[in-house]
Amino acid sequence: KEINLNMQINSFVKSVLNVSFFTILAQIVGIIALPIITRLYSPYDFGLYSFFVTIISIVGIFATAKYDNAILVADNSKIRKQLILIIFLLSIFIALSFTIILIILNLSGIYSFNINSQIEFMILIFLSIIFYANSLSLNFWHNTRGRYTLMGSAGLLRSISAAAIKILIGTYIAFLGFGLIYGFVASQGSFLLMLLCAYFLSDFRKEQSLTKKINSIYSYQELKKVLIKYKDFPKFALPTDFISTLSLQAPILLTGPIFGGVTLGYFALARTLLGLPTQVLGGSVRSVFQKEAALQFNKKGSCEEIFKKTFFSMTGIVLIPCIITILYAEPIFVIIFGEEWRLAGTFCQILAPLYFIRMIAKPLNFMFQLTNHLKFDLKLMNMFIVFSILSFSIGAYLDSAIITFTLISVLHSLGYLIYLWFSYLFSTGYKMHERKK
């Protein structure tokens, strides 16, 4: 049993390193490009870019209805393929509906974006929602197949294309006006294209006629059965993830109106830098942990060993970088980006504990979905909304962005520690009474 456990752990570490290798390369590209990008775009551009990404991250939740997570839980490839098609159709519907809503709001004068080309902005939103949703579903599909090299390579391509297009537009065709956003949309498109090509080349059975495939897998009745079978995901996981994302993105949504666009730009840069280690390590660990935890839990009814291994490994890795960021982020920002970005370094120091604790907690919070504690997840997630409202209320009253972000860092960190505790309990096989039907 001990030998088998060691083999499982070694396999887990190997898979994490496999994904991390490409992710680290991708983030190195981003880090190298960032000092150039900050000299091509203003803090206002960074603020608008962050606002755009925030819209996509929120609307994207509805574009998948959280059926993407069901791909990991599904026990056969037929159902997973049906879920991929469901997400594709749903993403088009949501993207079109949201774009129409924006057009109506703009024409009615209720709300309009203070930008030069609103139509161009809306087209980019429409494409991004579709790219975002389908990238998630296909990434989960390849995750179930253990294709970590493919996933890492696709992530590297996404990072390279994003940096290249942002620099290209900012240097030579700045008249487009949305260089950062164009880079984001194009990078999402390249990521999706690579995953999609691998899917069709490897997993779409060519020996079956299209008619037979549609009748046997993609018929209306078959899709309806899948929708009903995994109805708890849009019913509980969707509102939970919506609240989680809303609380996570609250600073972007509220900083501009309360403290101004320039402050939003500073915060956006700080958040970008803090998000790099999360993308490097957190995303890699999440991909591998989800697969390994699901296999172990479905087989033994618990996955405590892999949970502990992941938690202690992540904690040991992030501790020193977190301390360095808290102590030296401000002077580092001044050296790399210039004196005008000092406040961004201050924000980075304040928010560092939150981002590093979140990096540990987010992959492990998969236990709520794996063990079907979706209702409890929804209830628990409400505390982040309360924390965000409280933080911004106090900060706005005192007219201090620093106080606001300090409160967010402290309170949200506490929230993720609570999540970690319950995630551990669920990994041991603990069941709450609400799971009974």
Side-chain angles (χ1 to χ4, degrees), residues 98-276:
F98 185 71
T99 304
I100 292 174
I101 291 174
L102 290 181
I103 293 174
I104 293 174
L105 291 175
N106 180 58
L107 293 177
S108 64
I110 296 176
Y111 183 84
S112 62
F113 296 107
N114 186 25
I115 52 181
N116 294 328
S117 180
Q118 297 183 6
I119 295 178
E120 184 182 0
F121 190 71
M122 292 177 186
I123 291 175
L124 291 171
I125 288 178
F126 175 81
L127 293 175
S128 292
I129 292 172
I130 296 176
F131 291 166
Y132 177 84
N134 291 281
S135 294
L136 285 176
S137 66
L138 286 173
N139 199 55
F140 279 130
W141 165 271
H142 292 299
N143 189 12
T144 62
R145 300 268 168 149
R147 294 170 180 160
Y148 302 118
T149 300
L150 169 65
M151 295 161 61
S153 301
L156 178 59
L157 175 63
R158 176 172 57 187
S159 181
I160 293 174
S161 60
I165 293 173
K166 290 173 183 177
I167 293 174
L168 177 64
I169 294 178
T171 304
Y172 298 107
I173 45 180
F175 63 86
L176 285 177
F178 300 121
L180 294 174
I181 296 175
Y182 269 110
F184 172 79
V185 176
S187 65
Q188 290 293 324
S190 64
F191 181 72
L192 173 61
L193 181 61
M194 187 169 181
L195 296 180
L196 192 62
C197 288
Y199 172 75
F200 278 106
L201 291 174
S202 303
D203 305 315
F204 200 78
R205 296 187 177 183
K206 298 180 180 180
E207 66 270 15
Q208 289 187 352
S209 67
L210 182 60
T211 302
K212 182 177 179 181
K213 182 179 292 294
I214 292 175
N215 291 334
S216 62
I217 299 180
Y218 303 122
S219 67
Y220 171 77
Q221 292 300 327
E222 288 289 330
L223 295 179
K224 183 178 179 181
K225 290 179 182 178
V226 174
L227 287 170
I228 295 175
K229 180 177 181 180
Y230 296 102
K231 65 181 185 300
D232 279 356
F233 283 88
K235 186 177 180 181
F236 299 115
L238 189 153
T240 299
D241 203 27
F242 172 73
I243 293 174
S244 174
T245 304
L246 191 62
S247 63
L248 180 65
Q249 302 295 350
I252 293 294
L253 297 174
L254 298 176
T255 298
I258 295 177
F259 300 112
V262 175
T263 300
L264 174 59
Y266 292 141
F267 170 74
L269 180 61
R271 197 172 84 151
T272 298
L273 267 295
L274 287 170
L276 289 177

Side-chain angles (χ1 to χ4, degrees), residues 3 19 39 62 139 145 199 245 262 296 368 403 408 417 431:
I3 295 176
V19 181
R39 286 165 172 79
F62 296 92
N139 199 55
R145 300 268 168 149
Y199 172 75
T245 304
V262 175
Q296 289 189 21
F368 281 80
I403 292 177
I408 286 178
L417 289 175
K431 302 178 181 179

Side-chain angles (χ1 to χ4, degrees), residues 304-322:
E304 183 178 0
E305 295 90 350
I306 200 68
F307 183 97
K308 287 182 177 180
K309 178 65 178 180
T310 305
F311 172 78
F312 287 114
S313 298
M314 290 282 286
T315 302
I317 291 172
V318 307
L319 184 59
I320 294 179
C322 180

